[in-house]
Amino acid sequence: MNHTSSRDSSIIVHPSAIVDPLARIGAGTQIGPWCMVGPDVVLGDGVRLHANVVIDGHTRLGDGVEVFPFVTIGMAPQDLKYRGEPTRCEIGSRTVIRENVTIHRGTAQGHQLTKIGAHCLIMANSHVAHDCFIGDGVIIVNNVVMGGHVVIGDGARIMGSAALHQFVRIGHGALVGGVCGVEADVIPYGSVLGNRARLVGLHWIWLRRQGVDAAEIQAMRRAFRILYPRTGATARDGVLEERVNIVRREFADIPRVLEIVAFMEAPSRRGLVRGRRPGSDTSDIEGA
């Protein structure tokens, strides 16, 4: 049974859909066959649920969000500590969520919120776990899985079948290669590859597409080679800290370099992804 009599006439609800009368549905929203919408759900204007979509919990979808079949959003987290607390899930405007994606609400022990930004694309069969924060304009390709409390910065690209360990941070504009296991934090604009992620360079193509000029890109390249020298030496106590201090002094007028430095110095549960192995020269690898 659906409940359209008291709603805006522009709302279209298929007769087979089950929409709780307490749910708040924005103008121009379309709810397709066999969808289920719970009582605490808020759908913005122009949302489209194609078919067989389940949205539950204290969940809010922004204007123009499009959700494809067999997606679940706002279901209880896969966390044994969860006891039914009224935690939340939010999806930003114009985000597209493709088939079979699962997005779980937060936990009381975490942020109490799982949040995906605006203008994102979450491709088929991906999983966004409890308390994850995903920025604006992020693309997550098919079959990506992430543990709880993952943070992904604006504009990042996570390629197919990558796996992100819980509490990992992925910086602004970073690229995670396909079938890549990420166990530690990836710096802003960093590019990581490998079965166990290793930093191989910066995300040059993305930077160019964002209109970053050649002079700044060259400065970022020099800073990167100081932070991650070709010898691959990153492990000895104090060495990385010294290189960070050098970069901070020499590139004080380059905001993106300072953003990388600030990320590296911020508190972390997982530490930083290591650089490429000694002897390899992949610092100029391009990323899509």
Side-chain angles (χ1 to χ4, degrees), residues 20-278:
D20 192 282
L22 297 178
R24 295 166 56 190
I25 312 297
T29 289
Q30 300 179 46
I31 300 176
W34 311 111
C35 291
M36 299 181 66
V37 179
D40 298 309
V41 171
V42 178
L43 303 181
D45 294 345
V47 169
R48 184 175 182 186
L49 311 182
H50 280 267
N52 296 95
V53 174
V54 177
I55 305 181
D56 199 11
H58 293 266
T59 297
R60 177 185 293 269
L61 272 59
D63 294 347
V65 169
E66 185 173 12
V67 186
F68 282 75
F70 304 105
V71 168
T72 64
I73 302 174
M75 304 298 283
Q78 297 176 134
D79 187 323
L80 295 176
K81 299 185 297 298
Y82 184 72
R83 295 292 182 269
E85 297 90 349
T87 55
R88 297 176 293 132
C89 180
E90 296 180 4
I91 313 293
S93 62
R94 307 295 185 274
T95 283
V96 175
I97 302 170
R98 295 304 305 249
E99 296 82 355
N100 299 299
V101 167
T102 54
I103 303 169
H104 291 166
R105 59 184 182 259
T107 62
Q109 295 78 20
H111 305 293
Q112 303 184 45
L113 171 67
T114 300
K115 185 174 182 179
I116 297 175
H119 301 277
C120 294
L121 172 59
I122 315 295
M123 295 191 195
N125 303 301
S126 295
H127 174 61
V128 181
H130 61 85
D131 301 290
C132 287
F133 278 22
I134 297 176
D136 296 337
V138 172
I139 296 177
I140 297 185
V141 180
N142 301 38
N143 304 304
V144 169
V145 293
M146 59 191 75
H149 310 274
V150 167
V151 177
I152 302 178
D154 294 349
R157 304 288 188 260
I158 316 297
M159 298 295 104
S161 300
L164 311 184
H165 195 286
Q166 61 185 1
F167 294 103
V168 155
R169 298 179 301 148
I170 308 295
H172 175 203
L175 171 70
V176 174
V179 200
C180 191
V182 183
E183 301 171 307
D185 298 346
V186 179
I187 62 171
Y189 317 110
S191 179
V192 296
L193 297 174
N195 177 269
R196 289 296 181 265
R198 290 293 182 267
L199 191 63
V200 298
L202 296 183
H203 194 179
W204 306 117
I205 285 181
W206 186 89
L207 288 164
R208 294 185 187 112
R209 288 174 178 170
Q210 299 305 305
V212 180
D213 63 46
E216 184 171 355
I217 286 177
Q218 288 303 315
M220 294 178 71
R221 191 185 301 272
R222 293 195 303 273
F224 178 82
R225 287 176 173 169
I226 294 171
L227 291 169
Y228 295 93
R230 294 178 189 276
T231 60
T234 60
R236 287 181 296 151
D237 292 343
V239 172
L240 180 58
E241 182 180 356
E242 292 170 10
R243 294 200 300 272
V244 167
N245 289 333
I246 291 169
V247 166
R248 184 189 292 107
R249 290 194 304 270
E250 294 189 6
F251 299 90
D253 58 341
I254 308 295
R256 288 182 177 86
V257 173
L258 296 181
E259 180 184 358
I260 293 172
V261 168
F263 183 95
M264 295 176 76
E265 294 183 320
S268 171
R269 295 282 293 267
R270 299 296 303 169
L272 295 170
V273 163
R274 292 178 180 270
R276 58 201 179 278
R277 289 183 173 84

Side-chain angles (χ1 to χ4, degrees), residues 5-34:
S5 58
S6 62
R7 300 189 191 279
D8 187 311
S9 61
S10 67
I11 297 169
I12 299 173
V13 180
H14 191 275
S16 64
I18 301 174
V19 180
D20 192 282
L22 297 178
R24 295 166 56 190
I25 312 297
T29 289
Q30 300 179 46
I31 300 176
W34 311 111

